[in-house]
Amino acid sequence: MDAWEELVTSALLGTDRRPPTSRAPSGTATADGDAPVVLLDAAALHTVRRRAGLRPGPAAPAPEPAPDDHRRPLPEAARRRLGRLLADRAAPAPSGGRRGAAPDLAELLPQWLAAANEHGYKAPASSLPALLDAARARTDLRPQALALAGPRGLWLAGLNPEWRFALRGASGSAVLPDPRDDEAVRALWAEGLFAERVALLSSLRAADPAAALSLLRSTWAAERAEDRLMFLDSLRGGLSAADEEFLEAALSDRSRNVRSTAAELLSALPGSALAGRMARRAASCVSLDRTEGAETIVVEAPHECDAGMQRDGLIPTPPTGRGERSWWLGQLVESAPLSCWPARFGGRGPEEIVALPVADEWRAELHAAWCRAAVRQGDAAWSRALLGPPSAPPATGPGTASLAERAKLLSTLQDEERARWVASFIAAHGLSEAFQLLGVCAVPWAEPLGGAVIDALDIAREAGSYPWSFSGVMGLAERCLSPDAAPQLESLTTLPAEPEDASPGAGGYWSEAFQRLVSTLRLRAEMLAELTG
């Protein structure tokens, strides 16, 4: 038994039962002493001897050099700003739920990344680890962070398992072949990871829709159902009549989700055969009744969901709490082209059609389906009609009472029209119901929207309530108000005189919140100036 094994045996059995040898592993005598001490001294000496005699293993192969990134480097001031933003992202939140007057740098990082990418900058090499850590912690940062990190960020991610998410989600042009390089495109499509193939298809779709469709056709039958669904979804960009034949064939796919997505895409093509079939079915259910001089929309919902309807994407089983017939009707109407309704209602336009009374309490179901159709088909005229005047209460107006659905309708309008509508809505109803609507408005908020938000916040401040119920809107304002609004807000940073019925200390909280808003707007202006320097 060698010396190390003897030491291990003594340690396991105990020095009382198996005293250690009186000689150290080096072969020199050790001084007598307590057996445990002798054991530990001998083990220490033996460990040093073993390590000293260890032969080095073969060197690991050096990694391939990082690829070049030919984009412009950040200006020095912007580089320092990125470092501060990344360092602050993990700062602990203020205790007690009070944010203070200082800007929240972590919430400005997404905006900074987007602006830096718009200018075509690349991230400094020294910032790549922190940038990848930030993207790992926050999925909302990943697209912009990986775009700024570029090919060197992806190279670095391949060396650290904690950053492998970057490889799975890589979609930047830096890792994709030129769409004109047919051989490289085919090679990546055949051998690439799933995320790379999705990114490749999307990139090729933007450059050459016909080539992208041909590439998808080449392997469609061999793809997994979940992959077919994602590939099919990538056809939304640049959808045209040229895609109809492929989508029509996908209606017979063995996957229900694939069939439903194909039907949805076809219904967004008003001239497709599916849109025509849906128009005929929907028209058979919805008509205009002229009884005793009054004109009313009457609805006769389907009595069955036959095989043809199911092939065209209708889901036969309704969700819990929904009736079958209303569920089928809603799917038919939302899939029918909106252009079919004027002829059905005597040449009326969208606003006149929406204003017609609907019999037997079918109004909400019918209007909600038209809302979904307007969003799917991107029809601004129908969206305006279904939104109605912004002064109308959501519960009694046309379209839908759901603010989420209204936000989708607003997304079909041009930025300026959207901002005007939401500004008028805030003026009529205040901020409490406008949060979701503000989220779809272009940043920075155009006038009169920015002024309407400021006026509504000022009214809430003067009312003397705590600002906590407006914290979401205040956070949006910090990110979305134009930095030019800072001077207008200066007067609101002072401590107001509190009315008798005001909540105790509310004025101080409001003053602090407006100070933070002004500081954030000024910081955003500095950040943008640094990126253009």
Side-chain angles (χ1 to χ4, degrees), residues 113-193:
L113 291 171
N117 285 323
E118 287 175 4
H119 284 84
Y121 290 121
K122 64 179 178 181
S126 59
S127 298
L128 290 177
L131 193 60
L132 290 170
D133 278 339
R136 180 169 66 94
R138 288 181 56 178
T139 55
D140 63 308
L141 292 179
R142 289 181 184 179
Q144 295 291 356
L146 294 179
L148 187 70
R152 291 192 167 191
L154 296 176
W155 171 85
L156 188 61
L159 303 177
N160 185 346
E162 292 188 350
W163 297 332
R164 290 296 172 85
F165 71 87
L167 304 180
R168 292 194 299 270
S171 59
S173 58
V175 298
L176 297 177
D178 188 315
R180 295 168 295 185
D181 187 344
D182 185 66
E183 183 177 349
V185 167
R186 293 283 175 181
L188 183 59
W189 183 250
E191 303 171 4
L193 300 173

Side-chain angles (χ1 to χ4, degrees), residues 84-94 104-106:
R84 289 194 291 272
L85 291 173
L86 290 172
D88 190 76
R89 68 175 181 84
D104 186 347
L105 298 185

Side-chain angles (χ1 to χ4, degrees), residues 194-220:
F194 172 66
E196 293 173 329
R197 300 178 74 209
V198 171
L200 174 65
L201 189 63
S202 299
S203 174
L204 190 60
R205 179 75 172 174
D208 188 344
L213 188 60
S214 175
L215 187 68
L216 183 57
R217 283 180 183 274
S218 67
T219 60
W220 178 258

